[in-house]
C-alpha cells in the first residue's frame, strides 16, 4: 500500500473548494434535490443544507490522508443532507469519498466496502418494495447503488489495476537486478577463465626463461650459456606468439587476426618435447581415447601446468605423465621427484594449482596434488579425474 501523505494534496484541496463553491452556487439559485413540501424534509429552510455541504467539503480534504474517517463522517453528513432539501454537490462529493476510501484505504477497507454497499443496494431495493408494493420503490435501491456501490466498485477496479501495475514494476525491477547479478557473475567467470588461460600460456615459457637465464648467469661456460640463450630465445618467441594470439582474441575489431587453435591431446608429444628441451626427463604414457573437447582442453592444461611446476620445483629425476581412459572418466597422473626447496618462492607460486583445481571443478571432476612417499623416494603427485559421460550428454 502506498504511503499516505501527512498533508492534504493540492488536488484534494482543489476538489474540496470546487465542491463547496458548486454547492453554494446551487444554493444561491435555490436549486435543491427535493422541494420543501417533501415529507422526508425534516429541516426545512434554505440554511439547513449548508451544514452537511460544509462537512462533506471538509471530508474531501481527508480523502487521502484519512480515507476511512472521511467516508464515515461523510456518511453522517449525507444522512443529514437527506433530511433537508438536499444538494447535488453533497451527493457528488460523497461518491468521491466512497471511491477514495476504496482506492487509498487499507486492503481490508477496499475488500469490505464493495460488499457492504452491495448489500445496502439490495436492501434499498427489496425493503421499500416489500413495504410499499409499488415498482417505483425499486428506484430507491438504484439511487443507493449509484451513490455507494457504483463508486466503491469503480474504486476497487482502479485499485486492482494499480496493484497489478506495482507488481509488474516490482517484477521488472527484480528481473533487472537478477540480470545485473548474472552479468556480474558472467564477467567474473570470464575474468577467471582468462586468468587461467593467460597463466597456462605464459607460465611455462617464463619459467623456462627464468631457469635457463639463472644457469647462464651462474656458469662461466660459453657453450652452456649459448645453449641457455637458445632455449631462452625459443621460449620468448613462443610466449610472445601465444600472447599476441590471446590479445588478438580479446581485442575488439581485430578482423585480421587468425583464429586460435584449441590445444588437443594430440599436442602432448610437442608439449613433452618442449619440456625435455628445457631440461626435464619426461616419460609420457597416453591412452586417452576419444574425449569431449572441454575434457581434452582441461587435460592438456593440467599436464602443461604440471610440467611447468616440475620444471620450477622438482628435484632432478624422471617426470612421468600418464593418461588413461576408463568407461566414464579420463584419469590423469603426473609424478615428479619432490623438491623440498627452502628458498624464496617465485611470484605467483600456487596459481597453477588453483587453476588446475578450478578446471577440474568446472567439469565436476576430482583433483588432488601433494607429496607422496614411495620406494624410490618422495614424489610430488598430481591426480585428476575428469568425467566424460556427463560432458558428452551435455554436448549432445
Amino acid at each position: 500500500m502506498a504511503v499516505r501523505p501527512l498533508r492534504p494534496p493540492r488536488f484534494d484541496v482543489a476538489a474540496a473548494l470546487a465542491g463547496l463553491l458548486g454547492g453554494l452556487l446551487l444554493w444561491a439559485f435555490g436549486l435543491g434535490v427535493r422541494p420543501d413540501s417533501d415529507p422526508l424534509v425534516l429541516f426545512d429552510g434554505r440554511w439547513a443544507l449548508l451544514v452537511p455541504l460544509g462537512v462533506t467539503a471538509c471530508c474531501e480534504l481527508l480523502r487521502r490522508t484519512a480515507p476511512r474517517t472521511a467516508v464515515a463522517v461523510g456518511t453522517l453528513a449525507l444522512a443529514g443532507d437527506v433530511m433537508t432539501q438536499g444538494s447535488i454537490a453533497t451527493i457528488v462529493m460523497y461518491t468521491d469519498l466512497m471511491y477514495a476510501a476504496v482506492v487509498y484505504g487499507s486492503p481490508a477497507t477496499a475488500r469490505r466496502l464493495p460488499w457492504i454497499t452491495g448489500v445496502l443496494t439490495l436492501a434499498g431495493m427489496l425493503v421499500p418494495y416489500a413495504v410499499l408494493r409499488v415498482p417505483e420503490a425499486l428506484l430507491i435501491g438504484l439511487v443507493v447503488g449509484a451513490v455507494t456501490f457504483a463508486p466503491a466498485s469503480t474504486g476497487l477496479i482502479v485499485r486492482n489495476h494499480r496493484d497489478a501495475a506495482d507488481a509488474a514494476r516490482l517484477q521488472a525491477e527484480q528481473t533487472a537486478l537478477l540480470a545485473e547479478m548474472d552479468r556480474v557473475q558472467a564477467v567474473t567467470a570470464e575474468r577467471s577463465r582468462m586468468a587461467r588461460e593467460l597463466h597456462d600460456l605464459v607460465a611455462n615459457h617464463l619459467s623456462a626463461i627464468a631457469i635457463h637465464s639463472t644457469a647462464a648467469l651462474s656458469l662461466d661456460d660459453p657453450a652452456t650459456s649459448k645453449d641457455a640463450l637458445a632455449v631462452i630465445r625459443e621460449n620468448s618467441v613462443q610466449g610472445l606468439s601465444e600472447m599476441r594470439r590471446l590479445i588478438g582474441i580479446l581485442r575488439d575489431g581485430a578482423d585480421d587476426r587468425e583464429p586460435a587453435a584449441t590445444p588437443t591431446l594430440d599436442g602432448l608429444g610437442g608439449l613433452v618435447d618442449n619440456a625435455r628441451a628445457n631440461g626435464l626427463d619426461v616419460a609420457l604414457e597416453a591412452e586417452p581415447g576419444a574425449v569431449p573437447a572441454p575434457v581434452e582442453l582441461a587435460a592438456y592444461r593440467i599436464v602443461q601446468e604440471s610440467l611447468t611446476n616440475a620444471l620450477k620445483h622438482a628435484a632432478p629425476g624422471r617426470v612421468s605423465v600418464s593418461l588413461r581412459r576408463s568407461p566414464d572418466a579420463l584419469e590423469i597422473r603426473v609424478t615428479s621427484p619432490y623438491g623440498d626447496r627452502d628458498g624464496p618462492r617465485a611470484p605467483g607460486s600456487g596459481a597453477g594449482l588453483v587453476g588446475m583445481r578450478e578446471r577440474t571443478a568446472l567439469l565436476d571432476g576430482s583433483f588432488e596434488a601433494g607429496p607422496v612417499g614411495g620406494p624410490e623416494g618422495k614424489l610430488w603427485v598430481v591426480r585428476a579425474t575428469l568425467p566424460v559421460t556427463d560432458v558428452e550428454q551435455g554436448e549432445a
Side-chain angles (χ1 to χ4, degrees):
M1 184 177 64
V3 179
R4 295 175 185 172
L6 299 178
R7 299 176 58 184
R10 293 182 178 179
F11 178 84
D12 296 350
V13 176
L17 291 176
L20 180 61
L21 293 177
L24 292 176
L25 185 62
L26 294 175
W27 173 79
F29 284 99
L31 299 176
V33 179
R34 291 172 297 275
D36 291 340
S37 58
D38 194 298
L40 295 178
V41 177
L42 301 180
F43 303 99
D44 54 356
R46 297 188 60 199
W47 299 97
L49 61 84
L50 294 181
V51 176
L53 175 66
V55 173
T56 307
C58 293
C59 291
E60 279 283 272
L61 298 175
L62 305 177
R63 64 191 296 274
R64 266 188 274 196
T65 56
R68 188 162 56 181
T69 301
V71 74
V73 176
T75 301
L76 297 177
L78 182 65
D81 183 75
V82 172
M83 300 177 187
T84 66
Q85 291 184 1
S87 174
I88 298 288
T90 302
I91 298 175
V92 171
M93 285 190 292
Y94 179 78
T95 58
D96 181 64
L97 294 177
M98 183 65 68
Y99 167 84
V102 176
V103 173
Y104 304 113
S106 64
T109 302
R111 289 192 304 268
R112 293 169 184 169
L113 275 182
W115 287 98
I116 294 173
T117 55
V119 172
L120 290 177
T121 300
L122 290 176
M125 296 177 64
L126 299 178
V127 173
Y129 181 78
V131 173
L132 301 177
R133 295 292 181 178
V134 292
E136 289 77 3
L138 298 175
L139 297 177
I140 299 176
L142 295 179
V143 173
V144 173
V147 176
T148 59
F149 179 70
S153 301
T154 305
L156 183 61
I157 294 173
V158 173
R159 185 185 181 111
N160 290 337
H161 282 288
R162 186 190 65 185
D163 292 344
D166 292 341
R169 183 171 58 253
L170 179 60
Q171 184 178 5
E173 293 174 354
Q174 292 176 346
T175 302
L177 180 60
L178 291 176
E180 178 64 18
M181 293 175 61
D182 291 341
R183 187 192 68 82
V184 172
Q185 292 177 357
V187 170
T188 303
E190 182 63 17
R191 291 178 62 182
S192 299
R193 188 188 68 83
M194 291 168 54
R196 287 194 302 269
E197 291 295 328
L198 182 60
H199 178 274
D200 292 340
L201 286 174
V202 180
N204 184 39
H205 299 296
L206 292 182
S207 299
I209 291 172
I211 292 173
H212 286 278
S213 61
T214 302
L217 292 172
S218 61
L219 298 176
D220 190 12
D221 185 358
T224 304
S225 299
K226 185 176 181 180
D227 294 339
L229 290 176
V231 175
I232 290 173
R233 182 185 183 283
E234 181 181 357
N235 281 277
S236 300
V237 172
Q238 292 179 1
L240 287 173
S241 176
E242 293 182 356
M243 278 289 294
R244 188 180 297 110
R245 187 169 53 187
L246 179 61
I247 293 173
I249 294 174
L250 298 178
R251 183 181 293 120
D252 293 334
D255 297 330
D256 56 344
R257 65 178 182 270
E258 295 182 358
T262 303
T264 63
L265 294 181
D266 294 336
L268 288 180
L271 192 64
V272 170
D273 291 340
N274 186 44
R276 289 170 181 165
N278 291 328
L280 284 180
D281 181 13
V282 184
L284 175 62
E285 183 183 355
E287 298 178 0
V291 295
V295 175
E296 193 168 17
L297 176 60
Y300 181 92
R301 293 305 189 193
I302 290 173
V303 173
Q304 183 184 40
E305 183 57 33
S306 299
L307 293 177
T308 301
N309 289 340
L311 180 64
K312 292 191 293 185
H313 305 296
R318 169 156 290 197
V319 178
S320 299
V321 179
S322 173
L323 283 81
R324 294 185 180 276
R325 168 69 186 271
S326 64
D328 56 354
L330 177 65
E331 298 177 357
I332 306 168
R333 188 174 188 269
V334 182
T335 62
S336 58
Y338 182 71
D340 191 5
R341 301 180 181 179
D342 298 330
R345 303 181 68 186
S349 297
L353 292 177
V354 173
M356 289 189 286
R357 187 172 287 106
E358 289 178 350
R359 289 184 183 277
T360 307
L362 289 174
L363 297 174
D364 295 329
S366 61
F367 176 83
E368 57 181 0
V372 175
E376 300 179 357
K378 203 171 185 180
L379 299 176
W380 181 268
V381 181
V382 175
R383 293 190 185 92
T385 302
L386 306 178
V388 296
T389 304
D390 294 340
V391 176
E392 288 176 344
Q393 291 177 353
E395 289 183 347

